[in-house]
Amino acid sequence: RSVVLMDDSTTASVWCDGCDAEIRATRFRCSVCEDFDLCALCKAAGIHAEHTLVESVIEGAEPEIFTLADVVRHRERLAADAAAMFGEADSELCTYTPGGPCPKRQSLFVCATCTDPEATPAAVCVACSLHCHGGHKLIELYTKRNFACDCGTGLFPAVPCKLQPDKPARHLGNAYNHNFAGRFCVCRRAYDPDAADATAMHQCAVCEDWFHTELADDIHERPFGSAEQEDTDFVCKQCAAKHDFLRDYVAAAVASGTDSLPSSGSLPSSGAVPSSGTAAPSSAAPTSAAPASPVPSSSPGLPAAATRAPGCHRAPASSSNPPAAFVPSLHTHLCKCTACLAVYAAAGLAFLADPDDSLDAFKARGLAHTEACEAQAMEQGLSHLSQLPHSAQIMVAEGMRALQDDVRDLLGSMAATGEVLTAEHVRQFMEARRLKRKRADDDG
């Protein structure tokens, strides 16, 4: 359902909450949820169909034209993205486990409706975001590690958890940073996807903070490498300076001048940053960044190269701190000898050596779990269908055939006239089918 308005007040960019693309022509704003907008493709794909959407056409914009194939591909991409991020989550089960371990990694949300994020940092799991905070203003935190859902604890005194009513006042094992206040990066900027100067951010694989990687000024610097490369991790400058083994690893990748580390026998002998061809730190020292000279590491020292055990392929020691960088996957390429594993554990970073604890592994499990659930649902559907009386099976088959015929007729008529499928065609088609079913029900 939608209401059409002319939008002549839109001056700043508006971003779709379904696909994160900029809305350039037709905007669909939810009449129920706070600050929720969709683009025309997401609307046509059936996203957020449970609420009334107010449609506004940005003045001066060209009409949007897309095909049914465009809609199908868009919906498949959104489904794949959602499966990767939320596939492992049970939409009916809160992830808080009394006395048990927290999930290694999960998607989290800050509810800005129930709490003041600046004053009371807290976050909820996927299931609670649906059952306990549906329609609220949620700030997506992407994924965080070793966190117990705060919904229903003392941090949400007015909002009991519908899925686990008896939670303690607070889970003492949770750790919070400025992300939980809706602020990110060394600049501590609040994330506003609708802001005119909104820019991309990337999450550090170590501290899990988010950093602006497209800005270069007195606070930000452009990182080395590219996010487009597969099997890479982003490491912020602060983490690289804080832990000596990360400093050496990142410096080796930067010194190699590529996005892939050479073999351990041919690593550069120093961690110097190339003076050209790569994104070096800005000349002005960042307000919150590490100093240019090496800083004391919080990680215990590793043995010198001469005393390392056979098989240790840790990068050689670097004499300077490297910039933020996209580097080959830490979980895959960090040395896993006994001495190095002990250093990671002492620094609280043992997860960096566990390939199953990476974001890529998390997404792969989400996709696999979603595919398994879909296959199970299909099998159950066929099983239920086979148990229906023969007459009911015939009715189902006829209904599916009628839908197929109607879609074929719609596309055939449009092909004959040279028309291109639009969101309005889809709405008219669905409304016609609804009225057709109603007449059939009325006729008995």
Side-chain angles (χ1 to χ4, degrees), residues 102-123:
C102 299
K104 279 187 176 182
R105 185 185 295 273
Q106 64 173 314
S107 296
L108 293 174
F109 301 84
V110 170
C111 182
T113 301
C114 297
T115 64
D116 176 2
E118 295 277 5
T120 309

Side-chain angles (χ1 to χ4, degrees), residues 333-344:
H333 297 286
L334 276 179
C335 178
K336 296 179 178 60
C337 74
T338 303
C340 287
L341 290 176
V343 169
Y344 309 155

